[in-house]
Amino acid sequence: MREWWIHVGLICIPLVAVYLHIPPPQLSPALQKWHSAGQVFYFRGRKVFYRDSYGALGSSDVVILLHGFPTSSYDWNKIWEPLTQRFHRVVAPDFLGFGFSEKPRPHKYSIFEQASVVEALVVHLGLINQRVNVVSHDYGDTVALELLYRSEQNRTGHLTLNSLCLSNGGIFPETHYPRLLQTLLKDSSFLAPVLTRLTNYMMFQKGILRYINQRLKHRERWVGALTSTLVPLHMIYGPLDPVNPHPQFIRLYQQLVQRSTVTILDEHISHYPQLEDPTGFLNAYFNFIHSF
């Protein structure tokens, strides 16, 4: 009951702000710095923001970071510098409709389009012939699985995976419990059109949250790619995650994805392990990278 009232409050605040013509808050200095360090490229005429940092000398390894919903590449800020000390190149886009990327509306957002955004970025950066490591989180996990499927099926040829590290994504519909706000938007309830028309800076288009339904519809495609691939796999998991609860989620993952290694972080780590425990996240990831 308490959680329900919290979500109602979170829904009402931006609506009231719109009616009162309250502008969105100014960017923090940290976000301004992140933005100024980034670049943009065009995907089908839309601006897509990305960060691209050159790091370790003597290494040719590339890592691409795929963020979750409803955030941005800034989710990786606490582990960015350590990654540049290990990898030659660290790349992270803001998906279309997220962060500093363009937010077209009306627009039917989809996992397939976001995967194509990543492939287009790979082409733009001249990484077509480069084997890349992918680290993903939440929504980004599903985008990564679509990229894995395409790579395994040779559907596009734009991205060749060297490894894949997932984290706290709802890759199994049967163990995924979306929050109330996600459910309202996903199901296009009476609140969905109100939210999408009146929130001028949240940009929660109806299509964005339908990715939850896409996961259910395309489960065989994406989970099938995960269970059959020979690409090295790892899962970093925060067990206090209310969206992908412990132990149901991780038990099913270990049962179905037997080739993958798994790191379960401390019991107080929840849905954003890269932010809540950046040291633990990095240790788990570097151990995985050094294992093959």
Side-chain angles (χ1 to χ4, degrees):
M1 180 63 70
R2 180 182 178 184
E3 183 187 22
W4 184 85
W5 281 107
I6 292 173
H7 283 289
V8 169
L10 290 174
I11 291 171
C12 291
I13 289 171
L15 296 181
V16 171
V18 170
Y19 280 118
L20 296 177
H21 303 289
I22 299 174
Q26 295 295 315
L27 294 179
S28 68
L31 277 173
Q32 290 178 4
K33 182 179 180 181
W34 188 265
H35 181 256
S36 64
Q39 304 174 63
V40 297
F41 82 106
Y42 286 86
F43 172 80
R44 300 174 183 172
R46 305 293 189 181
K47 287 184 179 181
V48 174
F49 174 88
Y50 67 95
R51 288 287 311 271
D52 179 17
S53 294
Y54 286 86
L57 298 176
S59 171
S60 61
D61 294 343
V62 175
V63 62
I64 298 177
L65 311 175
L66 305 179
H67 68 80
F69 181 93
T71 49
S72 71
S73 58
Y74 189 69
D75 281 357
W76 306 107
N77 76 93
K78 289 188 177 182
I79 64 172
W80 191 266
E81 288 305 318
L83 287 175
T84 63
Q85 295 172 21
R86 166 60 180 80
F87 290 92
H88 170 62
R89 205 164 177 182
V90 182
V91 177
D94 283 357
F95 290 128
L96 191 67
F98 294 76
F100 294 118
S101 290
E102 192 168 338
K103 301 169 182 63
R105 53 178 181 174
H107 188 81
K108 292 185 177 180
Y109 294 90
S110 74
I111 294 297
F112 301 101
E113 181 181 52
Q114 304 292 16
S116 295
V117 168
V118 177
E119 289 188 318
L121 178 58
V122 166
V123 173
H124 175 74
L125 297 177
L127 297 173
I128 296 179
N129 298 318
Q130 175 77 47
R131 296 181 65 86
V132 301
N133 303 283
V134 172
V135 180
S136 59
H137 172 248
D138 184 67
Y139 181 91
D141 280 6
T142 308
V143 177
L145 294 185
E146 172 59 20
L147 291 168
L148 178 64
Y149 176 84
R150 295 182 186 186
S151 178
E152 299 282 293
Q153 299 295 323
N154 295 317
R155 293 297 179 95
T156 56
H158 290 333
L159 189 147
T160 303
L161 288 172
N162 186 56
S163 71
L164 173 58
C165 179
L166 307 163
S167 60
N168 285 80
I171 55 180
F172 305 121
E174 58 268 43
T175 61
H176 182 247
Y177 298 89
R179 300 293 86 192
L180 174 63
L181 179 58
Q182 293 178 321
T183 302
L184 290 173
L185 290 171
K186 169 183 75 71
D187 294 335
S188 299
S189 69
F190 73 95
L191 280 177
V194 175
L195 288 168
T196 56
R197 292 183 183 184
L198 295 181
T199 52
N200 63 346
Y201 59 90
M202 290 178 69
M203 295 297 188
F204 279 150
Q205 280 290 333
K206 287 187 292 185
I208 289 181
L209 275 163
R210 288 180 180 163
Y211 82 90
I212 299 173
N213 288 334
Q214 291 174 25
R215 285 170 170 168
L216 179 61
K217 181 178 180 179
H218 302 289
R219 183 192 187 282
E220 183 176 349
R221 176 187 181 102
W222 293 328
V223 176
L226 184 62
T227 57
S228 63
T229 186
L230 296 179
V231 169
L233 298 171
H234 191 66
M235 168 65 73
I236 302 176
Y237 178 62
L240 199 59
D241 188 350
V243 180
N244 306 289
H246 186 271
Q248 299 97 310
F249 170 80
I250 206 65
R251 282 179 179 172
L252 184 59
Y253 182 85
Q254 291 176 313
Q255 176 187 343
L256 295 181
V257 195
Q258 296 182 8
R259 289 192 62 257
S260 176
T261 51
V262 173
T263 298
I264 301 176
L265 299 175
D266 290 346
E267 61 182 13
H268 66 281
I269 304 302
S270 184
H271 186 65
Y272 287 88
Q274 75 275 35
L275 293 173
E276 298 171 56
D277 185 10
T279 300
F281 192 98
L282 284 168
N283 288 340
Y285 184 58
F286 287 154
N287 287 337
F288 164 60
I289 284 294
H290 296 149
S291 69
F292 61 91

